[in-house]
Amino acid sequence: NKGTYKHYMQKEIHEQPESLNTTMRGRLIRGGSSNGKNVLLGGLKDHLRTIRRSRRILFIGCGTSYNAALAARPILEELSGIPVTMEIASDLLDRKGPIYREDTAVFVSQSGETADTLNALEYALDNGALCVGITNAVGSAIARKTHCGVHINAGCEIGVASTKAYTSQIVVMAMLALAIGGNTISNQSRREAIIDGLFDLPNKVREVLKLNQEMRDLASQLVAEQSLLMFGRGYNYATALEGALKVKEVALMHTEGILAGEMKHGPLALVDENLPIIVIATHDSCFSKQQSVIQQLHARKGRLIVMCSRGGAASVCPGGASRVIEVPQVEDCLQPVINIVPLQLLAYHLTVLRGYNVDQPRNLAKSVTTE
Ligand code: UD1
Ligand code: BG6
């Protein structure tokens, strides 16, 4: 049921404040003087000790689920101190990449039925790794075959392009990082800031959704373009990849997500006064590096659209030339949840304006159950 919305993708973008609330319900603890703020993931509590002892954590997924894991990787590494490696499921299988008993393999899948991810799970089980699922569909193959896991509880997602599952996956993996990281004196204030940030996140998503009309206007300016680039780094490298995936899969416009640190190793050659470039430059520890990326793109007359933290337009706009998208600022590791929303809206409006099928993009399926 689409209610008052025209498309499921539109509905699912706009229901993210509620889906995130459901994802976190009963899993965040605030108050109780003895243990303060904490997270409780019922499905993992008996396995946390094993996970903490693992030599490596592998994130394995496809498409949007892979991007969500990429967004969560920095905070998991920071809080756990365990090396985290990223695997696209098909590539792991193509290489027969080594997996050991001392590994924890985390399988991220909205549907829980993606063939490549499921085959990678069988492979990791055969190799003796602890296998953890992050799934939306209760009772799905991946949820059943993993040793343990967390349901993201985002509610049924119908649009082929994943939106609300993406933000719920990131939130669950941030909670996973908090759970694995445990409570030490040295990281206590960081943990508390993240937990406070999680509590407030649905409100901040509600705020960023107010950019709907602005993104519609931007879409109308970009509607006839052939190509679009998105630059991100750090926590928001994933945002660039996922934003590009959204535009490409539904609006059928060639869009590339680029790691800003790689700009000079090729992508810079594409820059001219015609090609639109979205640069994600919200406030975090990478901000000054992104400022210099913006300056270099500007020096080559790049057609810039800069996403920055609210009130930060002056610091990202050399000569006032760029168009800016100002978003609310949240804790750095949660910022990808905010930053993807305007890009989801952009992809949606571009698709409608270009006259393509929003909920059922050509050639694509919601769940890819063959290799
Ligand atoms: C569970 C209940 C929830 C109830 C809550 C109360 C289910 C599905 N969930 O939620 O209805 O309100 O207790 O305490 O009944 N799992 C996997 N792989 C996955 C996902 C999950 O093995 O990919 C396993 C978990 O390890 C766990 C079970 O499935 O044993 C349920 O997981 P989850 O729904 O996340 O657990 P709770 O949040 O505790
Ligand atoms: C398909 C979907 O390609 O599978 C994507 O169209 C999704 O939206 C991908 O990201 C992976 O699916 P899942 O269910 O494993 O997360």
Side-chain angles (χ1 to χ4, degrees):
N1 189 326
K2 295 196 277 266
T4 57
Y5 295 103
K6 286 203 192 75
H7 304 100
Y8 284 110
M9 182 186 182
Q10 182 191 27
K11 171 175 179 274
E12 287 159 3
I13 292 171
H14 287 275
E15 76 191 12
Q16 288 176 105
E18 292 74 39
S19 53
L20 289 171
N21 263 326
T22 324
T23 296
M24 293 186 281
R25 184 164 300 140
R27 291 169 166 173
L28 289 180
I29 302 152
R30 194 156 54 171
S33 52
S34 57
N35 58 357
K37 296 165 185 167
N38 222 330
V39 299
L40 181 76
L41 297 171
L44 290 187
K45 61 180 191 308
D46 299 334
H47 302 267
L48 284 176
R49 279 177 46 138
T50 316
I51 300 174
R52 285 186 191 123
R53 281 201 305 258
S54 50
R55 294 260 293 274
R56 168 176 75 150
I57 297 171
L58 297 97
F59 271 137
I60 302 165
C62 303
T64 290
S65 294
Y66 174 90
N67 292 341
L70 186 65
R73 177 198 205 178
I75 192 61
L76 181 56
E77 286 183 331
E78 179 192 325
L79 294 182
S80 72
I82 303 171
V84 180
T85 59
M86 299 297 308
E87 293 285 358
I88 290 180
S90 64
D91 186 51
L92 176 70
L93 293 164
D94 290 345
R95 292 177 1 251
K96 299 258 178 305
I99 293 193
Y100 302 104
R101 297 183 62 83
E102 299 78 15
D103 287 328
T104 294
V106 181
F107 296 84
V108 187
S109 175
Q110 188 284 129
S111 64
E113 304 289 349
T114 300
D116 286 329
T117 312
L118 194 52
N119 291 339
L121 168 58
E122 303 284 3
Y123 173 71
L125 288 169
D126 287 346
N127 285 279
L130 176 71
C131 294
V132 180
I134 309 283
T135 50
N136 195 28
V138 177
S140 60
I142 293 172
R144 281 184 280 112
K145 292 183 180 177
T146 41
H147 295 120
C148 60
V150 187
H151 289 114
I152 67 169
N153 299 337
C156 186
E157 189 180 66
I158 292 167
V160 166
S162 180
T163 52
K164 64 175 181 169
Y166 178 72
T167 47
S168 285
Q169 286 168 334
I170 296 175
V171 160
V172 162
M173 288 183 270
M175 292 194 289
L176 174 77
L178 289 162
I180 295 174
N183 228 337
T184 63
I185 304 277
S186 61
N187 68 15
Q188 195 175 355
S189 64
R190 172 72 160 148
R191 290 172 58 86
E192 292 193 354
I194 297 169
I195 294 171
D196 287 339
L198 285 168
F199 271 109
D200 199 36
L201 200 56
N203 288 329
K204 290 296 199 304
V205 172
R206 212 166 274 124
E207 279 177 37
V208 76
L209 282 166
K210 292 180 186 157
L211 293 174
N212 185 44
Q213 188 55 45
E214 205 177 313
M215 290 304 110
R216 214 186 119 95
D217 295 345
L218 180 60
S220 66
Q221 285 181 17
L222 298 177
V223 66
E225 297 299 334
Q226 296 267 330
S227 272
L228 178 64
L229 301 186
M230 297 192 191
F231 281 87
R233 73 195 311 147
Y235 293 107
N236 288 289
Y237 173 34
T239 309
L241 293 188
E242 175 61 9
L245 178 58
K246 284 307 85 138
V247 174
K248 136 169 60 185
E249 70 180 336
V250 287
L252 315 190
M253 181 188 287
H254 170 249
T255 309
E256 227 183 301
I258 296 174
L259 183 66
E262 283 287 284
M263 178 179 73
K264 290 179 185 168
H265 305 295
L268 197 53
L270 291 171
V271 178
D272 62 14
E273 59 275 19
N274 300 315
L275 176 65
I277 303 174
I278 298 183
V279 184
I280 300 152
T282 41
H283 230 289
D284 61 21
S285 58
C286 298
F287 179 66
S288 63
K289 286 188 175 179
Q290 272 316 63
Q291 273 181 311
S292 88
V293 162
I294 291 167
Q295 274 155 10
Q296 293 174 54
L297 291 170
H298 184 65
R300 283 158 186 82
K301 305 201 166 45
R303 209 176 128 194
L304 301 184
I305 301 148
V306 182
M307 184 184 295
C308 66
S309 302
R310 193 180 283 155
S315 60
V316 294
C317 229
S322 325
R323 180 174 177 136
V324 296
I325 305 167
E326 290 193 43
V327 298
Q329 192 177 338
V330 297
E331 195 68 11
D332 53 12
C333 61
L334 304 176
Q335 195 68 47
V337 172
I338 298 300
N339 292 1
I340 195 59
V341 174
L343 303 178
Q344 293 171 340
L345 291 167
L346 177 67
Y348 171 74
H349 290 299
L350 274 173
T351 311
V352 172
L353 293 171
R354 284 159 72 93
Y356 293 123
N357 190 327
V358 174
D359 288 329
Q360 185 51 258
R362 77 178 176 209
N363 309 337
L364 299 183
K366 181 71 183 156
S367 185
V368 180
T369 52
T370 53
E371 266 188 302

